Amino acid sequence: MQHILEELQKRRDQARQGGGERRIAAQHAKGKLTARERIELLLDEGSFEEFDMFVEHRATEFGMAEQRIPGDGVVTGWGAINGRVVYVFSKDFTVFGGSLSMAHAQKIVKVQRMAAKVGAPVIGLFDAGGARIQEGVDSLAGYADIFVENVLSSGVIPQISVIMGPCAGGDVYSPAMTDFIFMVKDTSYMYVTGPDVVRTVTNEEVSHEDLGGARVHAGKSGVADGAFENDLEALTQIRRLVDFLPASNREKPPVRESFDDPERDEPSLDTLVPANPNKPYDMKELILKVVDEADFFEISKDWARNIITGFARMDGATVGVVANQPQVLAGVLDIDASRKAARFVRFCDAFQIPIVTFVDVPGFMPGTRQEYGGLIKHGAKLLFAYTEATVPKVTVITRKAYGGAYDVMSSKHLRGDVNYAWPTAEIAVMGAKGAVEIIFRADAKDPAKLAEREAEYKARFANPFVAASRGYIDDVIMPHGTRRRIVRALKSLKNKQVSNPWKKHDNIPL
Ligand code: HXC
């Protein structure tokens, strides 16, 4: 019996060695952890249960029959994050560069299916060279099997991808279909085709980093939802994110004991909005002062910074926060901001997470760049997302809510449940100056008259009371009481039930 146990131990040790000491040392030399080290850091200590440690590829061409490494380039299984079950797969770059064979794909599909079945998040850690070149079409088939599970699980369980090394070719499209992508700065990159192919096809010279590094995707393309300094920070932050999320669409988001008084006043908010309507202020200050313990997990922090999205808790329960940021482009809605917020709103709605919206928006961004880029279709995404969302929706207008953007930002008209405004709110078709220049064009040559008209317009419309008199705003609230009012509103909406008409699925303007 003893020798059988020893044989098992020997096989396990061999599998845990992955591609061997030399390749592990090379991995460390690049500032990267190994697939197994990453799992250790991601999961609660000692909670990892591995699947398929002995799986090997079945290819025989190009000398592959002689090169079989147990595990075949991906470590898979399940474990816990702060006691809650999650499924994981972690690509092992030390084994065939983490490239994907059919056997490797089947291991991933197994955890994807298990996660969907039990209702638990899937977290994929990527560090891989794409399709296993020696396997040809089997590898492509394997990718497609993973894509299918990504799509079927979308909106059912949270799917999170962390890019921690190369991620090219087939490897990019699975993360692209998950809910969130995070990258590690300097050691990870993502692209469909690498610099060599780019040079051949377009004559463009570009580095890995400039083509698909973390800064590119977290700041320019918006493909990634965040970039972290190193593996350790990335994995620690993923643990934090998972704590905010429900395990599946069958559960309500987790509620954590809060030590922050739900009735807490925040007197400094009474002076947050400057007297001059053209002066910016930091909307993040409002968010941090209102949510529990100033704990805010921001999504897409460095992309489309004119809108803020992220998770927080109110009296212990997770909420999704969407807020215009007057500090960037005056908080205008443009293509990127609309796309970013729409996707976030849809995630929240799919996973029963109430949405709190803070509004200070001067309108949609004018200009040919925006119109040629399809602002109409992209802006409509946000309008669509807020409208179809059936989760509790609480909105606070702090200052500007102009034009179509007023409607879009979770207004009463789009089935907002509780809509508040601060006394500093200006709810109107547009700003006073622009408005009088249009309706009193005849006075254009008379600045004194125009100024008089502007003051008149401001007094008449640049306030929350016209909207409140129609019932479009449920109450005009004191800024210092914002936290208390939101907590109470969310409490009142706890058992909200609304269902949309039956349909196979909607046709959001993609
Ligand atoms: C098999 C691979 C591999 C691959 C890397 N390796 N990529 N083996 N298939 N796709 C192996 C290498 O042979 C090497 O083995 C080890 O992994 C490490 O690779 P290096 O090149 O030494 O590492 P590095 O210099 O860090 O470069 C990493 C890399 C590069 C940039 C990812 O390896 C590379 O360009 N790989 C090919 C990428 C690619 O074109 N993939 C196919 C994409 S097409 P040894 O034994 O020396 O350690 C695709 C289509 C799918 O994915 C579409 C589905 C929709």
Side-chain angles (χ1 to χ4, degrees), residues 240 256-261 264 287-296 312-316 483:
R240 205 179 133 225
R256 202 161 86 169
E257 196 183 349
S258 166
F259 299 98
D260 200 347
D261 182 0
R264 173 171 55 81
I287 297 169
L288 295 179
K289 283 180 170 165
V290 162
V291 304
D292 288 1
E293 288 138 21
D295 188 10
F296 182 51
R313 294 184 185 85
M314 294 298 278
D315 201 19
R483 171 173 166 83

Side-chain angles (χ1 to χ4, degrees), residues 329-347:
L329 299 170
V332 76
L333 283 180
D334 57 6
I335 291 171
D336 290 349
S338 305
R339 283 177 50 207
K340 169 172 157 180
R343 186 161 165 78
F344 183 76
V345 165
R346 296 192 98 214
F347 177 86

